[in-house]
Short mmCIF file of all heavy atoms in Angstrom, two decimals:
data_model
loop_
_atom_site.label_atom_id
_atom_site.label_comp_id
_atom_site.label_asym_id
_atom_site.label_seq_id
_atom_site.Cartn_x
_atom_site.Cartn_y
_atom_site.Cartn_z
N LEU A 276 56.35 111.91 101.50
CA LEU A 276 55.84 110.49 101.53
C LEU A 276 55.45 110.14 102.85
O LEU A 276 56.16 109.84 103.82
CB LEU A 276 57.09 109.61 100.99
CG LEU A 276 57.87 110.08 99.82
CD1 LEU A 276 58.96 108.99 99.52
CD2 LEU A 276 57.01 110.33 98.70
N ARG A 277 54.05 110.11 103.05
CA ARG A 277 53.47 109.83 104.26
C ARG A 277 53.12 108.28 104.34
O ARG A 277 52.04 107.86 103.84
CB ARG A 277 52.32 110.75 104.54
CG ARG A 277 51.69 110.60 105.91
CD ARG A 277 50.35 111.38 106.17
NE ARG A 277 50.67 112.81 106.09
CZ ARG A 277 49.74 113.78 106.05
NH1 ARG A 277 48.40 113.36 105.92
NH2 ARG A 277 50.02 115.12 106.05
N ALA A 278 53.90 107.43 104.98
CA ALA A 278 53.85 106.09 104.76
C ALA A 278 53.13 105.28 105.95
O ALA A 278 53.24 105.81 107.20
CB ALA A 278 55.23 105.46 104.59
N SER A 279 52.53 104.25 105.72
CA SER A 279 51.87 103.43 106.83
C SER A 279 53.02 102.53 107.25
O SER A 279 54.23 102.70 106.97
CB SER A 279 50.71 102.59 106.22
OG SER A 279 51.11 101.84 105.10
N TRP A 280 52.77 101.63 108.19
CA TRP A 280 53.75 100.76 108.84
C TRP A 280 54.32 99.93 107.78
O TRP A 280 53.76 99.41 106.93
CB TRP A 280 53.13 99.83 109.82
CG TRP A 280 52.95 100.60 111.11
CD1 TRP A 280 52.18 101.50 111.47
CD2 TRP A 280 53.75 100.20 112.28
NE1 TRP A 280 52.39 101.94 112.86
CE2 TRP A 280 53.36 101.19 113.33
CE3 TRP A 280 54.76 99.22 112.67
CZ2 TRP A 280 53.83 101.10 114.58
CZ3 TRP A 280 55.24 99.30 113.91
CH2 TRP A 280 54.82 100.14 114.94
N PHE A 281 55.65 99.69 107.76
CA PHE A 281 56.44 99.05 106.76
C PHE A 281 56.24 97.38 106.95
O PHE A 281 56.32 96.90 108.03
CB PHE A 281 57.91 99.27 106.90
CG PHE A 281 58.43 100.61 106.75
CD1 PHE A 281 59.65 101.04 107.05
CD2 PHE A 281 57.54 101.70 106.32
CE1 PHE A 281 60.11 102.24 106.98
CE2 PHE A 281 57.85 102.89 106.17
CZ PHE A 281 59.28 103.30 106.57
N CYS A 282 56.09 96.77 105.79
CA CYS A 282 56.06 95.34 105.84
C CYS A 282 57.33 94.81 106.57
O CYS A 282 57.43 93.86 107.32
CB CYS A 282 55.95 94.68 104.51
SG CYS A 282 54.40 95.10 103.58
N GLN A 283 58.48 95.55 106.15
CA GLN A 283 59.82 95.09 106.54
C GLN A 283 60.00 95.19 108.07
O GLN A 283 61.13 94.68 108.51
CB GLN A 283 60.84 95.87 105.83
CG GLN A 283 61.11 95.27 104.35
CD GLN A 283 60.02 95.72 103.38
OE1 GLN A 283 59.05 96.48 103.69
NE2 GLN A 283 60.02 95.13 102.25
N ASN A 284 59.17 95.78 108.79
CA ASN A 284 59.31 95.75 110.32
C ASN A 284 59.22 94.30 110.78
O ASN A 284 59.71 94.06 111.90
CB ASN A 284 58.16 96.57 110.98
CG ASN A 284 58.40 98.03 110.85
OD1 ASN A 284 59.49 98.51 110.77
ND2 ASN A 284 57.26 98.84 110.82
N PHE A 285 58.78 93.40 110.02
CA PHE A 285 58.71 92.02 110.49
C PHE A 285 60.03 91.24 110.07
O PHE A 285 60.19 90.14 110.57
CB PHE A 285 57.57 91.23 109.78
CG PHE A 285 56.22 91.65 110.33
CD1 PHE A 285 55.41 92.62 109.74
CD2 PHE A 285 55.71 91.07 111.61
CE1 PHE A 285 54.21 92.90 110.17
CE2 PHE A 285 54.48 91.31 111.95
CZ PHE A 285 53.67 92.41 111.40
N SER A 286 60.90 91.94 109.31
CA SER A 286 62.06 91.13 108.78
C SER A 286 63.34 91.89 108.89
O SER A 286 64.48 91.36 108.73
CB SER A 286 61.82 90.74 107.34
OG SER A 286 61.51 91.80 106.53
N GLU A 287 63.24 93.17 109.32
CA GLU A 287 64.47 93.95 109.54
C GLU A 287 64.42 94.70 110.73
O GLU A 287 63.65 95.63 110.95
CB GLU A 287 64.58 94.88 108.35
CG GLU A 287 64.67 94.21 106.92
CD GLU A 287 64.76 95.24 105.72
OE1 GLU A 287 65.09 96.45 105.98
OE2 GLU A 287 64.50 94.80 104.64
N ASN A 288 65.18 94.28 111.68
CA ASN A 288 65.28 94.95 113.02
C ASN A 288 64.11 94.58 113.92
O ASN A 288 63.94 93.61 114.53
CB ASN A 288 65.58 96.39 112.80
CG ASN A 288 66.90 96.70 112.10
OD1 ASN A 288 67.76 95.88 112.27
ND2 ASN A 288 66.82 97.75 111.34
N PHE A 289 63.04 95.52 113.97
CA PHE A 289 62.13 95.64 114.98
C PHE A 289 61.41 94.28 115.41
O PHE A 289 61.70 93.97 116.54
CB PHE A 289 61.09 96.70 114.60
CG PHE A 289 59.85 96.83 115.58
CD1 PHE A 289 60.18 96.88 116.92
CD2 PHE A 289 58.61 96.93 115.14
CE1 PHE A 289 59.11 97.00 117.83
CE2 PHE A 289 57.57 97.15 116.02
CZ PHE A 289 57.87 97.15 117.39
N LEU A 290 60.80 93.67 114.49
CA LEU A 290 60.04 92.42 114.89
C LEU A 290 60.75 91.21 114.46
O LEU A 290 60.11 90.15 114.59
CB LEU A 290 58.66 92.47 114.26
CG LEU A 290 57.68 93.57 114.99
CD1 LEU A 290 56.36 93.67 114.11
CD2 LEU A 290 57.48 93.30 116.38
N LEU A 291 61.87 91.28 113.75
CA LEU A 291 62.56 90.13 113.29
C LEU A 291 62.75 89.00 114.24
O LEU A 291 62.49 87.77 114.13
CB LEU A 291 63.94 90.48 112.67
CG LEU A 291 64.78 89.29 112.08
CD1 LEU A 291 63.99 88.43 111.05
CD2 LEU A 291 66.06 89.75 111.57
N GLU A 292 63.32 89.40 115.40
CA GLU A 292 63.68 88.43 116.40
C GLU A 292 62.38 87.73 117.05
O GLU A 292 62.44 86.52 117.33
CB GLU A 292 64.42 89.11 117.59
CG GLU A 292 65.05 88.22 118.56
CD GLU A 292 66.09 88.87 119.50
OE1 GLU A 292 66.96 89.58 119.10
OE2 GLU A 292 65.86 88.60 120.72
N GLN A 293 61.32 88.55 117.14
CA GLN A 293 60.12 87.82 117.51
C GLN A 293 59.65 86.76 116.52
O GLN A 293 59.18 85.69 116.97
CB GLN A 293 58.97 88.94 117.78
CG GLN A 293 59.24 89.82 118.98
CD GLN A 293 57.96 90.65 119.32
OE1 GLN A 293 56.86 90.12 119.09
NE2 GLN A 293 58.15 91.81 120.09
N VAL A 294 59.60 87.18 115.26
CA VAL A 294 59.20 86.14 114.21
C VAL A 294 60.09 84.88 114.34
O VAL A 294 59.62 83.86 114.28
CB VAL A 294 59.19 86.83 112.86
CG1 VAL A 294 58.87 85.79 111.83
CG2 VAL A 294 58.20 87.88 112.74
N GLN A 295 61.37 85.05 114.40
CA GLN A 295 62.37 83.97 114.51
C GLN A 295 62.04 83.10 115.61
O GLN A 295 62.27 81.93 115.68
CB GLN A 295 63.74 84.52 114.45
CG GLN A 295 64.16 85.22 113.13
CD GLN A 295 65.56 85.80 113.29
OE1 GLN A 295 65.95 86.27 114.27
NE2 GLN A 295 66.30 85.69 112.19
N SER A 296 61.59 83.78 116.85
CA SER A 296 61.41 83.06 118.02
C SER A 296 59.98 82.30 118.00
O SER A 296 59.79 81.36 118.80
CB SER A 296 61.34 83.92 119.22
OG SER A 296 60.21 84.74 119.22
N GLY A 297 59.18 82.61 117.07
CA GLY A 297 57.86 81.95 116.89
C GLY A 297 56.69 82.62 117.60
O GLY A 297 55.60 82.15 117.50
N THR A 298 56.99 83.79 118.29
CA THR A 298 55.99 84.48 118.95
C THR A 298 56.07 86.01 118.69
O THR A 298 57.20 86.63 118.87
CB THR A 298 55.99 84.33 120.43
OG1 THR A 298 55.76 82.94 120.79
CG2 THR A 298 54.87 85.00 121.19
N VAL A 299 55.01 86.48 118.00
CA VAL A 299 54.98 87.98 117.88
C VAL A 299 53.99 88.59 118.86
O VAL A 299 52.84 88.31 118.91
CB VAL A 299 54.46 88.39 116.52
CG1 VAL A 299 54.30 89.90 116.28
CG2 VAL A 299 55.45 87.85 115.50
N ALA A 300 54.54 89.35 119.85
CA ALA A 300 53.76 89.82 120.95
C ALA A 300 53.64 91.30 120.91
O ALA A 300 54.73 92.12 121.02
CB ALA A 300 54.40 89.38 122.29
N LEU A 301 52.45 91.89 120.64
CA LEU A 301 52.35 93.35 120.60
C LEU A 301 50.96 93.81 121.10
O LEU A 301 50.10 93.17 121.32
CB LEU A 301 52.24 93.79 118.98
CG LEU A 301 53.48 93.43 118.21
CD1 LEU A 301 53.25 93.64 116.77
CD2 LEU A 301 54.66 94.34 118.71
N PRO A 302 51.03 95.13 121.65
CA PRO A 302 49.79 95.64 122.20
C PRO A 302 48.72 96.07 121.17
O PRO A 302 48.21 97.22 121.18
CB PRO A 302 50.25 96.81 123.02
CG PRO A 302 51.40 97.32 122.25
CD PRO A 302 52.12 96.14 121.61
N THR A 303 48.40 95.18 120.36
CA THR A 303 47.27 95.55 119.34
C THR A 303 46.40 94.27 119.29
O THR A 303 46.91 93.10 119.43
CB THR A 303 47.71 95.88 118.01
OG1 THR A 303 48.51 94.77 117.39
CG2 THR A 303 48.60 97.23 118.09
N VAL A 304 45.05 94.42 118.97
CA VAL A 304 44.24 93.17 118.81
C VAL A 304 43.57 93.24 117.42
O VAL A 304 44.04 92.52 116.52
CB VAL A 304 43.25 93.23 119.91
CG1 VAL A 304 42.41 91.98 119.76
CG2 VAL A 304 43.78 93.31 121.29
N ASP A 305 42.61 94.08 117.24
CA ASP A 305 41.85 93.93 115.96
C ASP A 305 42.03 95.14 114.93
O ASP A 305 41.34 95.26 114.00
CB ASP A 305 40.30 93.90 116.32
CG ASP A 305 40.03 92.68 117.02
OD1 ASP A 305 40.63 91.61 116.79
OD2 ASP A 305 39.17 92.73 117.98
N VAL A 306 42.93 96.05 115.39
CA VAL A 306 43.16 97.16 114.47
C VAL A 306 43.89 96.83 113.05
O VAL A 306 44.78 96.00 113.16
CB VAL A 306 44.10 98.21 115.07
CG1 VAL A 306 44.46 99.41 114.12
CG2 VAL A 306 43.33 98.87 116.34
N ARG A 307 43.27 97.26 112.05
CA ARG A 307 43.84 96.83 110.74
C ARG A 307 44.84 97.95 110.24
O ARG A 307 44.55 99.19 110.35
CB ARG A 307 42.61 96.69 109.84
CG ARG A 307 41.76 95.50 110.00
CD ARG A 307 40.74 95.18 108.98
NE ARG A 307 40.01 94.01 109.36
CZ ARG A 307 40.45 92.69 109.01
NH1 ARG A 307 41.57 92.61 108.31
NH2 ARG A 307 39.67 91.73 109.38
N GLU A 308 45.86 97.44 109.60
CA GLU A 308 46.90 98.40 109.14
C GLU A 308 47.17 98.00 107.66
O GLU A 308 47.46 96.75 107.46
CB GLU A 308 48.14 98.19 109.93
CG GLU A 308 49.34 99.10 109.50
CD GLU A 308 49.22 100.63 109.65
OE1 GLU A 308 48.25 100.99 110.33
OE2 GLU A 308 50.02 101.32 109.02
N PRO A 309 47.19 98.95 106.70
CA PRO A 309 47.61 98.61 105.32
C PRO A 309 49.10 98.67 105.12
O PRO A 309 49.59 99.60 104.52
CB PRO A 309 46.75 99.76 104.59
CG PRO A 309 46.86 100.88 105.55
CD PRO A 309 46.71 100.32 106.90
#
């Protein structure tokens, strides 16, 4: 199962605290991810 980035990265562990804080800060700009 070769998976793309999980939706749940925004709500379980990795990016959850950033979303809760109101700012998602990452080193990407226009790259699209399915």
Side-chain angles (χ1 to χ4, degrees):
L276 314 184
R277 189 185 287 171
S279 57
W280 277 69
F281 302 170
C282 298
Q283 281 74 10
N284 284 331
F285 289 95
S286 54
E287 298 177 21
N288 302 323
F289 178 41
L290 294 174
L291 172 59
E292 194 169 307
Q293 289 197 27
V294 175
Q295 291 174 327
S296 73
T298 300
V299 175
L301 297 170
T303 60
V304 184
D305 296 324
V306 173
R307 294 186 175 275
E308 176 69 14

